[in-house]
Amino acid sequence: HIIFGVFLFSRINGMSCFGVSWPMFALFSLSSTRSTLVVPEGGKNNAPPLPWSFHVAPMQCYTNAPLRQLYRLLSRDAVLWTEMEKVDDLLLPNSKGGVKYALTKRFGRPDRFTEDGGGGLTFQLGGNDAAKLQRCVAEASSMYNFREMNLNCGCPSIESGGASTFGASLMKRPELTRDLLRGMRDATPEEATISLKCRIGVLDAFDKPPPLLGEREYERLHRYISLAYEDGAGVDHVVLHARVAVLSGLSAAKNRAVPSLDYSVVERVAADFPGLSVTLNGGIRSLNDLRLLTNHDGGDDDDGVTGISSFMAGRWMLRRPLDLAQVQHDMLSFGNDHHHHDDDDGLVPSPSQMAVKAVNHYVDYVQRCISSPKDRCAYTLAELCLPLYLVVEQLREDYNSYEYDNYLSSPAVVEVHDMERIHDIIRDAIDCLASYSGSNNNKSAGNRIHFKRLSTSIKKLVGTKIVNKWKRNREEM
């Protein structure tokens, strides 16, 4: 604590090493046991409905609390998802309290849970045992105010157990899926939402070329959703990844690229189940993709999908997290709704301003985390650094495109002068994290704008192996 205090007082001009004024230091308790997530003021209950909604998809090893913190600061209205939690992992026997202990370890003390603000948080579970699912959902519902409880029936990954026990393999067992969802419904309050996330179909093995989704295959999908929606399971919301899942012969990454997308199937489901909320997932890789689907491209043509007003993306948000500020701005400006999320001057801030503010507040959040005793800090250094790394890599690409007039597949949402502001905020944060972690030669030296050097500094902090994994997964589009 003494060392950390020295770092805080090491900056000149009345600024701490995280770029906040001295009075802010009084807010950072060195005795706090866990940092809570910051949600912008206001709530979904006092705001008019948005024209469409956006979900940040669940991603294993990524959508943990620190990254969700950055996403929430970038967009108060996006719906965030937890990582998929395997029921068997939550029920592992231990001496510290069973499911309650496992949930507290992941989401913190219930009296300090703040992720129910804004667009809310969806808790995703994976499993194939109705009694176990029911137990986990009952405990989670009693402890936390999740937006909804979701059953994963779309993951084909062998690594996460989907190929043989749950995930997409459940699409071959519609009655079991119905029973699992029914058990989840019975364990939650009436006002809670139960949702299903699945593919538009499932194949045991990959054929070249894969068969088209014909009428017979659609009838299977229709029956699958019908059992979940109309046969007592009580599903309110279905997230449809617009690809067929392949259970063997393809890696998880290739299952996100082939077979081909078929948005018409998602449109047909939305038309066939008008009382069911349907979210389209799959293939949304940029702002341009999202704008075409929402028909928010500024043109007169009707390019959007029919009957769908909810969209989900995952890998795009890993590659370009600051784009979420533009998504938030688009949601607000779509209907000229300037009273939904106002800034101090009464206007919706620009995406560039929103990004700077979000990164600054995220760095404050990191400071609060590492201010608590090391043995009581909820997150690892790598978990806290991941959001900073993703921001740095996005801005490295965008800044270089401005500097060398390169083409960007997705338009930059942060203006050049704000990129430079974010660079300096993260540079100072890395210097403090290096000192906190005991690194003696990790100074992100100099005042020159150099995003690649920031990435190198983060690699020194958390290790080459971890950063290389981030880099590989970030590039999987």
Side-chain angles (χ1 to χ4, degrees):
H1 299 116
I2 295 173
I3 295 173
F4 185 71
V6 172
F7 302 147
L8 286 174
F9 285 88
S10 65
R11 295 286 286 178
I12 60 173
N13 297 327
M15 301 293 287
S16 79
C17 61
F18 280 83
V20 296
S21 60
W22 287 121
M24 287 295 291
F25 179 69
L27 298 177
F28 306 143
S29 169
L30 294 178
S31 63
S32 63
T33 59
R34 182 182 181 92
S35 175
T36 56
L37 285 99
V38 178
V39 178
E41 293 181 1
K44 60 185 178 181
N45 293 330
N46 59 14
L50 292 164
W52 46 269
S53 61
F54 183 78
H55 298 245
V56 178
M59 292 174 281
Q60 288 299 104
C61 303
Y62 287 99
T63 48
N64 51 30
L67 186 55
R68 294 197 306 266
Q69 171 65 41
L70 176 65
Y71 288 149
R72 178 57 69 218
L73 290 167
L74 288 164
S75 171
R76 67 153 291 102
D77 293 303
V79 181
L80 304 184
W81 288 55
T82 68
E83 302 171 79
M84 183 191 69
E85 296 291 349
K86 300 179 189 178
V87 168
D88 288 340
D89 288 349
L90 295 176
L91 294 172
L92 283 175
N94 60 71
S95 59
K96 296 187 178 182
V99 180
K100 288 185 178 179
Y101 171 75
L103 290 170
T104 302
K105 187 176 180 180
R106 288 160 172 78
F107 303 108
R109 284 173 39 179
D111 60 338
R112 297 183 180 180
F113 183 71
T114 61
E115 292 194 75
D116 54 346
L121 180 65
T122 296
F123 183 38
Q124 186 181 66
L125 287 160
N128 63 359
D129 185 294
K132 291 179 179 180
L133 270 168
Q134 190 169 13
R135 181 182 169 192
C136 290
V137 168
E139 292 282 11
S141 297
S142 69
M143 295 172 66
Y144 304 101
N145 185 25
F146 289 113
R147 171 193 172 98
E148 66 184 50
M149 300 288 182
N150 176 266
L151 179 63
N152 183 337
C153 297
C155 178
S157 171
I158 295 174
E159 180 181 354
S160 64
S164 60
T165 60
F166 56 91
S169 64
L170 287 173
M171 293 193 69
K172 300 173 68 176
R173 305 178 69 184
E175 288 81 9
L176 174 59
T177 302
R178 174 200 58 198
D179 294 342
L180 297 176
L181 292 165
R182 185 179 290 163
M184 293 172 65
R185 163 56 67 198
D186 291 344
T188 56
E190 289 185 6
E191 64 275 11
T193 297
I194 299 296
S195 63
L196 168 69
K197 187 173 186 290
C198 64
R199 298 289 187 111
I200 59 173
V202 61
L203 292 173
D204 288 319
F206 182 66
D207 295 323
K208 297 182 180 181
L212 297 175
L213 196 74
E215 193 62 28
R216 184 178 178 183
E217 288 74 25
Y218 181 77
E219 287 176 1
R220 291 196 188 102
L221 176 62
H222 188 282
R223 180 174 182 269
Y224 187 74
I225 294 174
S226 181
L227 286 174
Y229 176 53
E230 298 173 341
D231 198 21
V235 163
D236 309 285
H237 175 210
V238 170
V239 180
L240 274 176
H241 188 141
R243 298 184 197 276
V244 172
V246 181
L247 297 182
S248 63
L250 283 182
S251 67
K254 288 187 176 180
N255 253 292
R256 292 189 291 268
V258 293
S260 300
L261 290 162
D262 192 345
Y263 291 153
S264 68
V265 175
V266 185
E267 292 178 292
R268 187 172 175 183
V269 169
D272 287 349
F273 297 90
L276 181 65
S277 174
V278 177
T279 293
L280 184 151
N281 181 34
I284 305 176
R285 301 181 178 186
S286 68
L287 285 165
N288 291 335
D289 290 343
L290 180 62
R291 285 169 171 170
L292 285 172
L293 290 171
T294 59
N295 196 27
H296 190 47
D297 60 348
D300 296 327
D301 296 333
D302 184 8
D303 298 318
V305 287
T306 302
I308 298 170
S309 58
S310 182
F311 305 88
M312 173 180 280
R315 297 287 156 174
W316 168 31
M317 290 292 104
L318 275 188
R319 186 168 185 84
R320 301 185 58 82
L322 298 183
D323 284 8
L324 190 55
Q326 183 68 60
V327 173
Q328 173 72 19
H329 190 271
D330 285 359
M331 283 192 290
L332 300 183
S333 60
F334 190 95
N336 294 319
D337 178 12
H338 289 280
H339 60 283
H340 202 291
H341 188 6
D342 296 344
D343 207 354
D344 294 337
D345 58 3
L347 299 174
V348 177
S350 71
S352 186
Q353 294 169 328
M354 292 163 67
V356 173
K357 188 175 181 179
V359 173
N360 207 16
H361 282 311
Y362 178 76
V363 167
D364 291 346
Y365 164 83
V366 171
Q367 180 172 1
R368 290 195 298 276
C369 288
I370 66 175
S371 294
S372 57
K374 283 189 177 182
D375 60 344
R376 300 169 75 180
C377 184
Y379 314 114
T380 66
L381 188 62
E383 289 172 332
L384 294 172
C385 285
L386 169 64
L388 299 176
Y389 173 82
L390 297 178
V391 169
V392 166
E393 285 298 291
Q394 175 177 349
L395 294 185
R396 181 166 71 90
E397 294 173 356
D398 291 358
Y399 196 79
N400 287 346
S401 74
Y402 278 115
E403 196 168 15
Y404 300 109
D405 197 27
N406 293 334
Y407 172 76
L408 278 176
S409 60
S410 190
V413 303
V414 182
E415 298 174 11
V416 174
H417 67 280
D418 284 333
M419 291 185 196
E420 295 173 349
R421 291 176 63 191
I422 292 174
H423 175 279
D424 292 347
I425 292 169
I426 295 180
R427 179 196 60 205
D428 291 349
I430 290 173
D431 287 346
C432 285
L433 285 167
S435 300
Y436 163 78
S437 66
S439 175
N440 295 321
N441 58 353
N442 194 46
K443 293 289 183 180
S444 50
N447 294 320
R448 182 187 169 201
I449 303 301
H450 202 311
F451 286 102
K452 185 176 182 180
R453 183 173 293 141
L454 294 185
S455 291
T456 301
S457 297
I458 293 174
K459 182 184 292 188
K460 291 179 181 178
L461 275 175
V462 304
T464 300
K465 185 176 180 179
I466 291 175
V467 170
N468 285 345
K469 178 185 176 183
W470 294 346
K471 182 178 180 181
R472 287 194 307 271
N473 289 344
R474 182 179 175 271
E475 292 173 351
E476 287 179 6
M477 290 287 283

